[in-house]
Amino acid sequence: MEFTAQMIAQFLGGSVEGDPNAKVNTVAKIEEGFEGALSFLANPKYTPYIYTTHSSIVLVNSNFEAEQPVRATLIRVPDAYGAFAQLLDLYAQAQLPTNGVEQPSYISSSAQVHPDTYVGAFAYIADGAQVEQDAKIFAQVYIGRNVHVGQGTVIYPGAKIYDGCHIGSRCTIHAGAVIGADGFGFAPQEGANFRKIPQIGNVVIEDYVEIGANATVDRATMGSTYIRRGVKLDDHVHIAHNVEVGENTVMAAQCGVAGTTTIGKNCMFGGQVGITPHTKIGDGVRCGAKSGISGDVKPNSTIFGMVAQDVSKERRVVAVYKNLPELARRLGELERMVSKLKSKEE
Amino acid sequence: MEFTAQMIAQFLGGSVEGDPNAKVNTVAKIEEGFEGALSFLANPKYTPYIYTTHSSIVLVNSNFEAEQPVRATLIRVPDAYGAFAQLLDLYAQAQLPTNGVEQPSYISSSAQVHPDTYVGAFAYIADGAQVEQDAKIFAQVYIGRNVHVGQGTVIYPGAKIYDGCHIGSRCTIHAGAVIGADGFGFAPQEGANFRKIPQIGNVVIEDYVEIGANATVDRATMGSTYIRRGVKLDDHVHIAHNVEVGENTVMAAQCGVAGTTTIGKNCMFGGQVGITPHTKIGDGVRCGAKSGISGDVKPNSTIFGMVAQDVSKERRVVAVYKNLPELARRLGELERMVSKLKSKEE
Amino acid sequence: MEFTAQMIAQFLGGSVEGDPNAKVNTVAKIEEGFEGALSFLANPKYTPYIYTTHSSIVLVNSNFEAEQPVRATLIRVPDAYGAFAQLLDLYAQAQLPTNGVEQPSYISSSAQVHPDTYVGAFAYIADGAQVEQDAKIFAQVYIGRNVHVGQGTVIYPGAKIYDGCHIGSRCTIHAGAVIGADGFGFAPQEGANFRKIPQIGNVVIEDYVEIGANATVDRATMGSTYIRRGVKLDDHVHIAHNVEVGENTVMAAQCGVAGTTTIGKNCMFGGQVGITPHTKIGDGVRCGAKSGISGDVKPNSTIFGMVAQDVSKERRVVAVYKNLPELARRLGELERMVSKLKSKEE
């Protein structure tokens, strides 16, 4: 795909300054620009780059005033960053495969797959599954029995959705993610191996959710594991059985949430955080990377630490922690002084 | 599948109280009951729910005495929880696909696949592999050369078993799990990139083992990595080359065990625990979530911590840790007092 | 494959002592030897095993002198360990599938796949992809549009390479690894769900790189995520968008590197290490397992800890940490003593 400055300006309702036939086929940061790339300038910090960039076209704010000659063709728009984001969205959308069913694929005769969808080769769609309009089921994806995949949802290569799970609309599920594997439940048996507790619930993923590559969301023992609307889970995140992750909550890579824990809305978790089972995390909680959460957390708390506590308290603790040998030395010194004072007195 | 109260009572040897034609097609917790669901009441704590539940049928202990009218049909059995578990097992078993080979799949002419097995579409069974009776090889699974899959073992979609690995009977391997990838072994070379040490061993998984979604068990450099009978590994667990995990040991999600470590029987590890290489963990060890184990651990120890130690000791340490700034303040105060005492004396 | 002592001796330029027709078809450690296995003896610590080993053939250094009768056939070579490593390499190489395209597979008519490659069944090679000579694309692998796979690179079953990524020569990518999934970037929107920031960059993996099973390397937001020549990433490692991992750096399992961080050459990271975004790690850094790195690290540092610092300092800190309750007790004791001294004085 190649676009001229004129085509882009028309689409954005902007005006061209320079060569209206300048062509681009990709985008780049202004400081890393090259022939054929489109860039933008919004943050004044980057202004010097507009005089040196090799990008062919640069989007600038309407009020931008060049103080030196500019080689690139400029397109003036009211909001250069917003316009760039709009073009990126279009570009990303255009990357998705066009609708159609590649062969060989396996679609059960009892599955309902909307005719306007993409189904890649080696994808498997089991009995009773429903796939809504404009869903993109990439190659090698597995859609279990009675799974629902909502409108416009994109499931990347090799993701696996177990039987009975529900995926909402406009979701993105990345390669290797596994939705609906068994919760980890075993009952001890006198003098024998553990006995598996059947996991007969499912996973409900609401609309606008993103699930990262190789992430896992386990099915409920009974009932449902819930990933609420707008949640974003990064790669390798693990959500155990019967967990609920509240609306718009964001978890960075490699976080793990143990069974039956509930997490509120609008929370943010750094990477590698772990949360114990049966824990309640309030709305709006922020938690630093690598923290361990082993008890309920009040709404709007900001916490951190191996045994997570209030972040400002933990920071002061860490400062002392890093000087523990000095603290121990001072204590020993005091002991010697006090012992001397005491012996003098006697 | 739909069952009447009468059918269930007959199967369990129980007696119906209410409508023998009441029908159920799923199960639910008594407090979340709905039309068409079967629940159970065993723990007296949940007794109030029996008067309000919307479940159609509830299993109760023979000696249960209703103190108010009950809308649901009851089935009285000697052990309501046990009977419910028995039904769940049946239900779970019935969810497995019936035997047969879906097309297209790839089965080498030199593989021995028992005729009473399920092989899903796009599954790959390589030269010399053996698949025993009632194994369920789901779609998109990879079974490498000379791999053995025991009787009744279930391998969920997209799991990958590398060449030469041995999977016992009645195992469950979840989607995305990788068994037998190379151990992580590289030798430094003077003035050049690392040199890969060929990993020519395999993985031996004994009977009744469960391996979680997206977990990995690496093959041995030479010899075997062993996962003993009855071991349960949760999602994202990593077992490195030449490790041995002892019988009935259980590891929660995202644990990682480094190379050549041996872990005893009947151990339990919380999530995100890490264990260093060449470490020996005795039988019956319990280890709290997120711990780091960097030395041998005696049998039956209970440990916790970033540098794991006895859990009761670590708990007392953590209590002081959380108050380190106060400790430092008290130390400073003492220093001032002692310095004053000392100066008066001089 | 079966080899006689004579064939092996000829290949290695060594001399046979014992039965030149002794046959082996695998290798084993000398202490775990069995009929049909080849072992080696280099470290004198293992010398006693040569008199008891059940291996059929043992490679020994030219100057080895037996002090008791040896049952195994010996092959004398100048460097027994080096010769064994050489045989292992050959053996490992011979395990790779021979070139050819299995059916059914999906190769776009616009893809360029060298005729001397292996493409397994159910592999998917998209439009515009290039696969160079002697690459091994195992079953169920996904190669996205315009992906480049270099000469001799091995991609194990079910690995997924998203559109536009570049994989160098002689790389090994294990099963379940995902290269090029979206970076984790979302912009908050007033009163609405997060807005996805399109991730339109790619991943560049240079030559001689190994990527472990179920590892993930995310594509750049713009530009490239770089995995430099000779890097080795273990299973479950996560590399976020726009990260650069320098030449020959090695990361053990379950490490996570957040966005836009740069890591120097020749670094080594233990397992489960986490690194915050926008961090700069110098060349030659060594970091202990489970550490959290939250700031820039100078070249050649050796660091450790939840809030990582110099390892020798952290070790002293940990020693005090483990005795914090005793430290607190001593402090309390001192307070009592000083208070007594003070009251006497008054």
Side-chain angles (χ1 to χ4, degrees):
Chain A
M1 293 180 308
E2 206 171 46
F3 301 95
T4 64
Q6 184 143 29
M7 288 159 72
I8 295 168
Q10 254 167 11
F11 174 79
L12 295 173
S15 63
V16 178
E17 204 167 303
D19 178 8
N21 294 317
K23 287 186 182 68
V24 292
N25 57 27
T26 187
V27 299
K29 295 181 191 172
I30 191 166
E31 70 272 27
E32 300 173 347
F34 49 87
E35 183 76 24
L38 172 81
S39 296
F40 75 101
L41 172 64
N43 185 335
K45 201 172 85 178
Y46 289 87
T47 302
Y49 290 111
I50 201 159
Y51 307 114
T52 58
T53 187
H54 291 266
S55 290
S56 303
I57 305 178
V58 182
L59 304 182
V60 297
N61 290 331
S62 310
N63 61 358
F64 168 73
E65 292 182 23
E67 296 175 346
Q68 297 173 37
V70 170
R71 179 169 44 187
T73 292
L74 302 184
I75 299 178
R76 292 183 181 275
V77 287
D79 170 11
Y81 174 72
F84 189 75
Q86 198 184 341
L87 289 177
L88 278 191
D89 281 345
L90 267 183
Y91 179 86
Q93 201 63 30
Q95 300 306 307
L96 290 173
T98 50
N99 291 334
V101 177
E102 292 174 357
Q103 293 305 338
S105 50
Y106 183 101
I107 302 180
S108 159
S109 58
S110 68
Q112 295 172 44
V113 178
H114 192 284
D116 296 336
T117 51
Y118 166 70
V119 178
F122 317 124
Y124 188 103
I125 301 182
D127 301 350
Q130 280 184 299
V131 180
E132 303 280 4
Q133 190 170 12
D134 287 323
K136 308 287 185 182
I137 309 296
F138 273 74
Q140 303 149 336
V141 162
Y142 182 86
I143 305 287
R145 281 175 295 177
N146 303 314
V147 165
H148 174 95
V149 177
Q151 201 177 327
T153 282
V154 178
I155 306 187
Y156 281 102
K160 311 296 181 201
I161 320 291
Y162 278 54
D163 291 355
C165 293
H166 179 100
I167 317 285
S169 298
R170 307 277 162 207
C171 292
T172 301
I173 298 186
H174 280 284
V178 176
I179 309 299
D182 285 351
F184 195 65
F186 302 92
Q189 296 182 110
E190 197 70 38
N193 300 113
F194 286 93
R195 187 173 157 289
K196 182 177 175 70
I197 299 170
Q199 304 290 313
I200 63 167
N202 75 343
V203 175
V204 173
I205 293 181
E206 296 185 350
D207 302 343
Y208 295 99
V209 168
E210 180 144 347
I211 308 275
N214 285 343
T216 58
V217 182
D218 284 353
R219 69 199 305 108
T221 308
M222 280 197 268
S224 298
T225 303
Y226 290 100
I227 309 294
R228 299 295 184 190
R229 183 184 169 95
V231 165
K232 312 295 181 191
L233 304 180
D234 200 354
D235 299 354
H236 301 274
V237 165
H238 170 65
I239 304 293
H241 62 89
N242 292 90
V243 165
E244 173 170 356
V245 182
E247 201 174 322
N248 273 341
T249 281
V250 174
M251 294 196 149
Q254 299 175 322
C255 283
V257 183
T260 319
T261 282
T262 61
I263 299 176
K265 300 178 189 178
N266 302 313
C267 297
M268 301 185 79
F269 296 85
Q272 300 185 335
V273 170
I275 309 181
T276 50
H278 296 274
T279 305
K280 280 193 197 322
I281 313 284
D283 293 347
V285 167
R286 284 161 181 255
C287 176
K290 252 190 172 341
S291 296
I293 303 181
S294 52
D296 293 356
V297 180
K298 286 185 191 151
N300 302 313
S301 313
T302 300
I303 58 176
F304 177 60
M306 165 85 182
V307 180
Q309 61 177 340
D310 175 79
V311 69
S312 61
K313 197 172 168 205
E314 177 73 5
R315 276 199 196 126
R316 276 179 285 133
V317 168
V318 166
V320 181
Y321 170 85
K322 289 195 154 191
N323 282 311
L324 275 182
E326 172 62 11
L327 208 78
R329 195 197 57 71
R330 281 164 56 196
L331 184 64
E333 177 73 11
L334 262 185
E335 283 173 331
R336 275 186 298 277
M337 286 168 68
V338 170
S339 149
K340 219 184 274 178
L341 283 172
K342 217 179 142 198
S343 65
K344 278 192 189 164
E345 189 172 289
E346 280 158 5
Chain B
M1 292 181 310
E2 204 171 47
F3 302 95
T4 66
Q6 184 143 28
M7 288 159 72
I8 295 169
Q10 254 166 10
F11 174 79
L12 295 173
S15 63
V16 177
E17 206 168 301
D19 177 7
N21 295 316
K23 286 186 184 65
V24 292
N25 57 27
T26 188
V27 300
K29 295 181 191 172
I30 191 167
E31 70 272 27
E32 300 174 349
F34 49 88
E35 184 77 22
L38 171 81
S39 297
F40 76 100
L41 172 62
N43 185 335
K45 203 173 82 178
Y46 289 87
T47 302
Y49 291 111
I50 201 159
Y51 307 114
T52 58
T53 187
H54 291 267
S55 290
S56 302
I57 306 179
V58 181
L59 303 182
V60 296
N61 290 331
S62 310
N63 60 359
F64 168 72
E65 293 183 22
E67 295 176 345
Q68 297 173 36
V70 171
R71 178 168 47 184
T73 293
L74 302 184
I75 300 179
R76 292 183 181 274
V77 288
D79 170 11
Y81 174 72
F84 189 75
Q86 199 183 341
L87 290 177
L88 278 190
D89 281 346
L90 268 182
Y91 179 86
Q93 201 62 31
Q95 301 306 308
L96 290 173
T98 51
N99 291 333
V101 177
E102 292 174 358
Q103 293 305 338
S105 50
Y106 181 102
I107 303 181
S108 159
S109 59
S110 68
Q112 295 171 45
V113 178
H114 193 284
D116 296 337
T117 50
Y118 167 69
V119 178
F122 317 124
Y124 187 105
I125 302 182
D127 300 350
Q130 278 184 301
V131 179
E132 303 281 3
Q133 191 170 11
D134 287 324
K136 309 287 185 181
I137 309 297
F138 273 74
Q140 301 148 338
V141 162
Y142 182 88
I143 305 288
R145 280 175 295 177
N146 304 314
V147 165
H148 175 94
V149 177
Q151 202 176 327
T153 282
V154 178
I155 306 186
Y156 280 102
K160 310 296 180 202
I161 321 291
Y162 278 53
D163 291 357
C165 292
H166 180 100
I167 317 285
S169 298
R170 308 276 162 210
C171 292
T172 302
I173 298 185
H174 280 283
V178 176
I179 310 298
D182 284 350
F184 195 64
F186 301 92
Q189 296 182 109
E190 198 70 37
N193 299 115
F194 285 94
R195 188 174 156 288
K196 182 177 174 71
I197 298 171
Q199 304 289 312
I200 64 166
N202 74 343
V203 175
V204 173
I205 293 181
E206 297 185 349
D207 302 342
Y208 295 99
V209 168
E210 180 144 346
I211 308 275
N214 284 344
T216 58
V217 182
D218 283 354
R219 68 198 306 108
T221 307
M222 279 198 268
S224 299
T225 302
Y226 290 100
I227 308 293
R228 299 297 184 188
R229 183 187 169 95
V231 165
K232 313 295 181 191
L233 304 181
D234 200 353
D235 299 354
H236 300 274
V237 166
H238 170 66
I239 305 293
H241 61 91
N242 293 88
V243 165
E244 174 171 355
V245 182
E247 201 174 320
N248 274 339
T249 281
V250 174
M251 293 196 150
Q254 298 175 323
C255 284
V257 183
T260 319
T261 282
T262 61
I263 298 176
K265 300 177 189 179
N266 303 313
C267 297
M268 300 185 79
F269 296 84
Q272 299 184 336
V273 170
I275 309 181
T276 50
H278 296 274
T279 305
K280 279 191 196 327
I281 312 284
D283 293 346
V285 167
R286 283 157 184 257
C287 176
K290 251 190 173 342
S291 297
I293 303 182
S294 53
D296 293 355
V297 181
K298 287 187 191 150
N300 303 312
S301 313
T302 301
I303 58 176
F304 178 59
M306 164 84 181
V307 180
Q309 60 176 340
D310 175 80
V311 69
S312 61
K313 199 175 166 202
E314 177 73 6
R315 275 198 196 126
R316 276 178 286 131
V317 168
V318 165
V320 181
Y321 171 84
K322 289 194 155 193
N323 282 310
L324 275 183
E326 171 62 11
L327 208 78
R329 194 198 57 70
R330 282 165 58 197
L331 184 64
E333 178 72 12
L334 261 185
E335 284 173 331
R336 275 186 295 280
M337 287 169 67
V338 169
S339 149
K340 219 185 275 177
L341 282 172
K342 221 181 140 198
S343 65
K344 278 192 190 168
E345 191 172 287
E346 278 158 4
Chain C
M1 293 180 309
E2 206 171 47
F3 301 95
T4 65
Q6 185 143 29
M7 288 159 72
I8 295 168
Q10 255 166 11
F11 174 79
L12 295 173
S15 63
V16 178
E17 205 167 302
D19 178 8
N21 295 316
K23 287 187 182 67
V24 292
N25 56 28
T26 187
V27 299
K29 295 181 190 170
I30 190 166
E31 69 273 28
E32 299 173 348
F34 49 86
E35 183 77 24
L38 172 81
S39 297
F40 76 100
L41 172 62
N43 185 335
K45 203 173 85 179
Y46 288 87
T47 303
Y49 290 111
I50 202 160
Y51 308 113
T52 57
T53 186
H54 290 267
S55 290
S56 301
I57 305 178
V58 182
L59 303 182
V60 296
N61 290 331
S62 310
N63 60 359
F64 169 72
E65 294 183 21
E67 296 176 344
Q68 296 174 36
V70 170
R71 181 169 43 187
T73 293
L74 303 184
I75 299 178
R76 291 183 181 276
V77 287
D79 170 12
Y81 174 71
F84 189 74
Q86 198 183 342
L87 291 177
L88 278 190
D89 281 345
L90 268 182
Y91 179 86
Q93 201 62 29
Q95 301 306 308
L96 290 174
T98 50
N99 290 334
V101 177
E102 292 174 357
Q103 293 304 338
S105 50
Y106 182 102
I107 303 180
S108 159
S109 59
S110 68
Q112 295 172 45
V113 179
H114 193 283
D116 296 336
T117 50
Y118 166 70
V119 178
F122 317 125
Y124 187 105
I125 302 181
D127 300 350
Q130 278 184 300
V131 180
E132 303 281 3
Q133 191 170 11
D134 288 325
K136 308 288 185 181
I137 308 296
F138 272 75
Q140 300 148 339
V141 162
Y142 182 87
I143 305 288
R145 280 175 295 177
N146 304 315
V147 165
H148 175 95
V149 178
Q151 202 177 325
T153 282
V154 178
I155 305 186
Y156 280 102
K160 311 296 180 200
I161 321 292
Y162 278 52
D163 291 357
C165 293
H166 180 100
I167 318 285
S169 299
R170 309 276 162 208
C171 292
T172 301
I173 298 185
H174 279 284
V178 176
I179 310 299
D182 284 350
F184 196 63
F186 302 92
Q189 296 183 109
E190 197 71 37
N193 300 112
F194 286 94
R195 186 172 159 290
K196 182 177 175 69
I197 299 170
Q199 304 289 311
I200 63 166
N202 74 343
V203 175
V204 173
I205 293 181
E206 298 185 349
D207 302 342
Y208 295 99
V209 167
E210 180 144 347
I211 306 275
N214 284 343
T216 57
V217 182
D218 284 353
R219 69 197 307 106
T221 307
M222 279 198 267
S224 299
T225 303
Y226 290 101
I227 309 294
R228 298 296 184 190
R229 183 186 169 94
V231 166
K232 313 295 181 191
L233 304 180
D234 200 353
D235 299 354
H236 301 274
V237 165
H238 169 66
I239 305 293
H241 62 89
N242 293 89
V243 165
E244 173 171 355
V245 182
E247 201 174 319
N248 273 338
T249 281
V250 174
M251 294 196 147
Q254 298 175 322
C255 284
V257 183
T260 319
T261 282
T262 61
I263 298 176
K265 300 178 189 178
N266 303 312
C267 296
M268 300 186 78
F269 296 85
Q272 298 185 336
V273 170
I275 310 180
T276 49
H278 295 274
T279 304
K280 278 192 197 324
I281 313 284
D283 294 346
V285 167
R286 282 157 184 258
C287 177
K290 251 189 173 341
S291 297
I293 304 182
S294 52
D296 292 356
V297 180
K298 286 186 191 150
N300 303 312
S301 312
T302 300
I303 58 173
F304 178 60
M306 165 86 180
V307 180
Q309 61 176 339
D310 175 78
V311 70
S312 61
K313 199 174 167 202
E314 177 73 5
R315 277 200 195 125
R316 276 178 286 133
V317 168
V318 166
V320 181
Y321 171 84
K322 289 194 155 193
N323 282 310
L324 275 182
E326 172 61 11
L327 208 77
R329 195 197 58 71
R330 281 165 57 196
L331 184 64
E333 178 72 11
L334 263 185
E335 284 173 331
R336 275 187 296 280
M337 286 168 68
V338 169
S339 146
K340 219 184 273 176
L341 283 171
K342 218 179 140 197
S343 65
K344 277 191 189 166
E345 190 170 288
E346 280 157 7

